[in-house]
Amino acid sequence: MEIPLINKLITTNGFGLRSWDDRYSKGVRVCVAPNSYMLEEVESASDDGDLDMIPSTEFLLSQDWLPFAIGKDFIHALQELENRLNALPVEQIDRASNWSNSVHEVLEHLKEVASSGNNNFKELSNNFEKTWI
């Protein structure tokens, strides 16, 4: 299996990768982010109780440009993530890109919503160049 875009983000751009088994038996989750400490927020959001987990997970999977994926196993999840990344313009697979900045902004929003406990997520744009609707 080849995953050159994930490899580039981690090896060349200092992104972090996190993977875990979904506690609701949906498969294996995998994600990358410009700052690895933010990935703990993603895992925590997907492991919360139903009332918090469902809106958080729907938010993170709502747009194909976000680097979050679920697969039936680890290899499948990595391939799903690679497929999402492959849909982006190649110049965006970089720490200093608009896409990377938008991913960071989305993760900061996830952290804010999680700490507020209100599940009031902003609506994401289907284009990373304009993060919010």
Side-chain angles (χ1 to χ4, degrees):
M1 175 184 69
E2 292 188 30
I3 50 172
L5 299 177
I6 295 170
N7 187 55
K8 178 182 177 186
L9 287 172
I10 294 169
T11 306
T12 308
N13 290 278
F15 273 56
L17 176 120
R18 192 166 186 122
S19 181
W20 64 98
D21 185 45
D22 180 78
R23 75 180 224 185
Y24 293 96
S25 302
K26 291 185 179 178
V28 174
R29 295 180 183 270
V30 65
C31 55
V32 292
N35 298 304
S36 60
Y37 70 90
M38 294 300 287
L39 295 171
E40 188 173 325
E41 287 292 330
V42 176
E43 182 176 355
S44 177
S46 75
D47 276 348
D48 286 339
D50 287 351
L51 294 176
D52 294 324
M53 181 277 300
I54 292 170
S56 297
T57 301
E58 287 176 354
F59 172 73
L60 291 172
L61 294 173
S62 67
Q63 297 301 326
D64 289 342
W65 59 266
L66 288 170
F68 312 111
I70 301 174
K72 63 183 182 224
D73 58 32
F74 179 65
I75 300 299
H76 183 243
L78 282 174
Q79 193 59 59
E80 290 294 311
L81 178 58
E82 184 74 12
N83 292 343
R84 280 183 170 232
L85 296 172
N86 199 37
L88 296 168
V90 69
E91 69 273 5
Q92 294 299 320
I93 306 299
D94 188 274
R95 175 175 282 288
S97 69
N98 291 338
W99 170 76
S100 177
N101 292 336
S102 289
V103 169
H104 182 78
E105 190 177 337
V106 166
L107 294 177
E108 285 292 334
H109 179 63
L110 174 69
K111 183 178 178 180
E112 290 167 11
V113 170
S115 45
S116 74
N118 67 12
N119 287 329
N120 189 18
F121 289 100
K122 296 178 187 177
E123 191 171 350
L124 286 165
S125 166
N126 63 0
N127 182 342
F128 63 85
E129 297 284 352
K130 180 184 173 209
T131 309
W132 314 106
I133 291 181

